[in-house]
Amino acid sequence: MFKRNKNKIIELILLITIPSFVFLLATGGRIISPYYTYWISQVYSSDIQQHWLCWLYFSHTPLFQFPLFDNPNYGTNFSSSLAANDAIPIFALLFKILNPLFTEKIQYFGIWVLSCLLLQFFFAKKILDLFIPEKSTSFILSCFFIIAPMLFHRIDLGHMGMFGHWVILASLYFILKDEMKYWVWLLLILIGLLTTPYMGVIILGMYVFKEIYISIKNTAHWRPVDLLFLEWARIVATVVIFFVLLIVIGHDVNTSNYFTGGFGNYRFNLNSFFDPASTNWPIGSENSGVHNWSILLPDLKGNSLNTSGDYEGFSFLGLGVVILAIYSIFIIIKNPKIVLNQNIVPLVLLGLVFLLYSLSTKIIFNETELFSYHIYFFQDKIFESIRASGRFIWPTYYLLYIGIFVLSYKNIKRNYFRFLIIFLLILQIYDSSNMFKYIKSQLNDYSKTSQINSSYYMKSDYWAEFSKKYKKIRLIPPDGYTSNIFFEVTLYGAENNIPIDSAYLARYDMRKAKKLREEAFTNLEKNNLEEDSLYFFVYYKNPELDVKTDEAWSSLRKNKLDFVDQLDGFRIYAPNFFQD
């Protein structure tokens, strides 16, 4: 029996060990421990800190609530939810159930990253097995999917939820296999929404494209009108279900009211497949320079402004895949009919649809904007809600991977191909090694400390007394952006389960924030402050606003019952603290 299942056992071992090795290579492995949280305080990305703090607040909420991921105490002024802040809802819910089993604060990012790598490798292998009968070859090629620069770029940015690209590969697998049942599509859409709303929109888009393409293709043959009606009704029903899920989960249905100008900035640059630089400006707390995913290839030109959003469309193929891509281009030039195959055309169209949206309405190549256009209503009301259009290059990227690998496999002699892809895999790992080392350094502080607590920053005995006396934390001024003490204060609030009026939010109403700031300063002038609230005076790297905060602090009316002072570096106003 063992001999009969030997190949399956070996395959299962490889499916687990290869992604696990990449996990160790890229992260060092320490983040797999839920108790290891100290690294979060040291990482340069405030997004990771936001996701974790959001989870800590969410862990105190009821298991059953509406919306499901409502997080009212994290930014009480803004009606926030964990899902809207990209804190990986699917894992947040799982670990909320398991939370009583843990004795300390936990994080689930390490387990999430490892899970994603395992699933990414699994579905990449399943896809390649559809075209490549040689198991060893498909295993080698699948490795490219788990070292893809575009994938690990998300960890570099601190976008942990967006590491779940395996959902896209799962969708592509079922499309290519052409045996996907409707309930599987609904499940993938749900899983997408439970990672990040963008993933949900992408999977919905893939489903809608597939259904429309099949319907249009079938119009060449006569079919009953009622059958056509049912097909289109199912598409409409799926979109309706999608929006219902948005509401139940706690995603913002329309964020176009919150932001302006994002669409057309967070885009795909036409050079992105071959540009190894993930940003065109210095990044990181140590100002470590432009992050380049290649040692050997040059950084192509791009928008050098630090407000440039081209990083959202970063999709460098990796040096090994670039070499195969160049070879594939020559094959297509020699025989263009390859892409006109009736089985290939829908995949090409699918890739082009997502490529078109990723470009946004401002088309850029290198540092030059070639042209722009405006789509009224859609651009103002719909596109601004999913403004980071560069992220929609993800399905196109993986379709390119699949096409390049299959085309190369079918046109290179088998005896040479296996040695070639092993060489290219090693070359790409070496070429990306500097970035993998950097990511690893961000996830490992190399200290003996494993847990981070607010007491690390707040050492005075007063803090314990504050947590017992005050029911709310308020920032002066309030905002939905990260302040100079965002992490420390929010961690203190989360540990003591004290609602905080504002915190770093992925999506928030800027007009409402402005109004709240005005009200806060007015209340200070009138000495109309709440006695059950602990006030922190903060900065936002906004010169005009920060000057106003300094003036408010200096003119604060004091009496002998109030605690007004700098404590452990924090400017504190505690009303009636000394009252018996």
Side-chain angles (χ1 to χ4, degrees):
M1 182 177 178
F2 175 76
K3 291 182 178 179
R4 189 168 51 196
N5 296 320
K6 181 180 177 181
N7 290 338
K8 290 184 178 180
I9 294 172
I10 292 174
E11 185 172 343
L12 178 61
I13 291 172
L14 290 175
L15 284 170
I16 295 172
T17 55
I18 293 175
S20 299
F21 175 75
V22 172
F23 174 77
L24 290 172
L25 172 74
T27 71
R30 192 178 178 188
I31 63 170
I32 196 68
S33 170
Y35 291 123
Y36 177 43
T37 60
Y38 184 75
W39 66 275
I40 298 173
S41 67
Q42 303 300 307
V43 73
Y44 84 87
S45 173
S46 56
D47 285 348
I48 292 180
Q49 295 175 346
Q50 173 213 44
H51 299 159
W52 183 56
L53 294 170
C54 199
W55 145 250
L56 291 182
Y57 266 102
F58 177 71
S59 65
H60 295 295
T61 61
L63 183 60
F64 299 103
Q65 56 179 349
F66 185 84
L68 185 59
F69 295 94
D70 192 25
N71 207 10
N73 290 342
Y74 182 85
T76 56
N77 282 334
F78 295 95
S79 302
S80 174
S81 78
L82 177 133
N85 286 293
D86 299 328
I88 319 176
I90 191 170
F91 264 45
L93 185 59
L94 172 63
F95 281 89
K96 186 178 184 179
I97 296 171
L98 299 176
N99 203 38
L101 302 177
F102 296 98
T103 56
E104 299 285 346
K105 298 188 303 297
I106 63 167
Q107 56 85 20
Y108 44 72
F109 302 126
I111 298 175
W112 167 251
V113 170
L114 177 58
S115 300
C116 288
L117 286 173
L118 290 167
L119 290 165
Q120 179 96 344
F121 192 67
F122 173 79
F123 282 110
K125 177 71 167 50
K126 295 288 284 185
I127 289 171
L128 293 175
D129 282 345
L130 297 175
F131 305 98
I132 300 173
E134 298 171 11
K135 296 290 185 181
S136 59
T137 300
S138 63
F139 262 115
I140 297 167
L141 290 173
S142 297
C143 292
F144 285 96
F145 287 84
I146 56 174
I147 62 166
M150 185 183 72
L151 177 66
F152 276 93
H153 170 59
R154 289 296 145 184
I155 291 184
D156 185 26
L157 293 178
H159 298 169
M160 289 297 195
M162 296 180 194
F163 196 74
H165 287 192
W166 62 270
V167 187
I168 295 174
L169 290 182
S171 301
L172 289 175
Y173 168 69
F174 287 113
I175 287 176
L176 291 167
K177 196 175 181 183
D178 199 24
E179 294 180 1
M180 193 165 183
K181 296 180 180 179
Y182 179 64
W183 70 266
V184 179
W185 273 114
L186 291 180
L187 178 62
L188 287 173
I189 290 171
L190 175 61
I191 293 173
L193 287 173
L194 290 176
T195 58
T196 170
Y198 276 88
M199 193 65 73
V201 175
I202 287 172
I203 305 305
L204 175 67
M206 294 171 72
Y207 165 76
V208 171
F209 173 87
K210 174 181 176 291
E211 291 295 320
I212 291 177
Y213 178 83
I214 292 174
S215 181
I216 293 174
K217 181 182 177 182
N218 289 338
T219 54
H221 310 284
W222 183 88
R223 289 185 306 156
V225 176
D226 57 343
L227 185 59
L228 286 171
F229 174 79
L230 287 174
E231 289 177 353
W232 285 90
R234 187 164 70 171
I235 295 174
V236 173
T238 305
V239 174
V240 172
I241 291 171
F242 175 83
F243 280 100
V244 170
L245 288 174
L246 280 178
I247 296 170
V248 172
I249 292 171
H251 286 302
D252 292 319
V253 175
N254 180 15
T255 58
S256 63
N257 293 326
Y258 295 1
F259 304 101
T260 56
F263 184 77
N265 182 35
Y266 301 112
R267 63 195 165 189
F268 171 82
N269 191 311
L270 285 170
N271 69 12
S272 292
F273 289 134
F274 301 97
D275 182 9
S278 56
T279 64
N280 298 304
W281 33 268
I283 187 173
S285 57
E286 299 176 359
N287 201 28
S288 56
V290 173
H291 284 195
N292 195 317
W293 278 88
S294 177
I295 295 172
L296 302 174
L297 294 182
D299 170 17
L300 302 182
K301 291 183 179 180
N303 193 331
S304 60
L305 295 176
N306 61 6
T307 54
S308 169
D310 288 3
Y311 64 87
E312 286 290 4
F314 172 75
S315 46
F316 178 54
L317 295 171
L319 180 56
V321 182
V322 165
I323 292 172
L324 285 178
I326 294 172
Y327 173 75
S328 300
I329 290 171
F330 281 113
I331 294 175
I332 294 172
I333 292 173
K334 186 178 179 180
N335 184 15
K337 292 182 180 180
I338 292 175
V339 295
L340 298 178
N341 181 291
Q342 63 175 353
N343 295 321
I344 302 299
V345 168
L347 300 176
V348 173
L349 290 176
L350 176 63
L352 288 175
V353 167
F354 279 95
L355 171 64
L356 181 63
Y357 187 78
S358 70
L359 289 167
S360 79
T361 53
K362 295 181 179 179
I363 315 302
I364 187 172
F365 178 69
N366 287 344
E367 57 187 343
T368 304
E369 187 174 299
L370 303 179
F371 63 91
S372 63
Y373 58 95
H374 190 89
I375 304 176
Y376 293 95
F377 178 76
F378 282 97
Q379 186 164 336
D380 297 331
K381 296 295 182 182
I382 298 177
F383 295 167
E384 283 294 344
S385 293
I386 41 178
R387 61 184 187 145
S389 64
R391 297 172 184 174
F392 285 77
I393 199 63
W394 299 344
T396 307
Y397 184 93
Y398 289 117
L399 282 168
L400 279 175
Y401 260 45
I402 297 165
I404 290 167
F405 293 153
V406 173
L407 198 58
S408 301
Y409 171 78
K410 291 185 176 181
N411 287 274
I412 299 176
K413 291 183 179 180
R414 302 290 188 271
N415 294 336
Y416 301 131
F417 185 70
R418 191 178 302 166
F419 292 105
L420 175 63
I421 59 176
I422 290 174
F423 168 75
L424 292 177
L425 179 63
I426 295 172
L427 178 64
Q428 183 159 321
I429 292 172
Y430 164 75
D431 195 48
S432 303
S433 59
N434 283 347
M435 278 305 303
F436 279 118
K437 288 177 184 176
Y438 174 79
I439 290 173
K440 185 177 179 179
S441 70
Q442 286 292 300
L443 303 180
N444 292 270
D445 56 87
Y446 302 107
S447 71
K448 295 181 180 179
T449 305
S450 61
Q451 278 272 322
I452 184 65
N453 298 295
S454 61
S455 59
Y456 182 84
Y457 310 100
M458 301 169 170
K459 303 182 183 301
S460 171
D461 293 337
Y462 279 118
W463 296 107
E465 297 182 53
F466 290 153
S467 66
K468 296 174 183 177
K469 186 174 181 67
Y470 297 101
K471 297 179 180 179
K472 304 172 189 173
I473 292 175
R474 294 192 177 277
L475 305 189
I476 301 294
D479 199 8
Y481 194 62
T482 176
S483 69
N484 63 313
I485 54 173
F486 150 71
F487 181 76
E488 298 90 332
V489 174
T490 313
L491 178 59
Y492 172 73
E495 286 179 348
N496 294 285
N497 197 20
I498 305 174
I500 187 168
D501 70 340
S502 56
Y504 180 29
L505 304 169
R507 301 164 188 85
Y508 68 99
D509 191 332
M510 292 184 178
R511 291 172 296 187
K512 183 176 183 180
K514 182 180 180 180
K515 183 179 179 181
L516 289 169
R517 288 194 296 270
E518 292 172 352
E519 290 177 354
F521 285 126
T522 300
N523 288 334
L524 278 172
E525 291 175 5
K526 297 180 179 179
N527 199 29
N528 185 23
L529 301 177
E530 298 181 11
E531 294 188 359
D532 64 346
S533 297
L534 178 65
Y535 291 84
F536 288 82
F537 286 69
V538 301
Y539 295 124
Y540 291 101
K541 293 183 180 179
N542 181 330
E544 183 179 348
L545 185 60
D546 292 343
V547 167
K548 199 169 182 180
T549 303
D550 283 336
E551 292 173 351
W553 172 257
S554 300
S555 61
L556 194 63
R557 299 178 189 177
K558 309 171 185 177
N559 66 60
K560 62 181 181 179
L561 296 179
D562 298 335
F563 182 102
V564 183
D565 203 350
Q566 290 204 32
L567 185 65
D568 294 328
F570 301 92
R571 295 190 296 182
I572 300 295
Y573 174 68
N576 292 328
F577 176 71
F578 296 108
Q579 187 177 34
D580 293 335

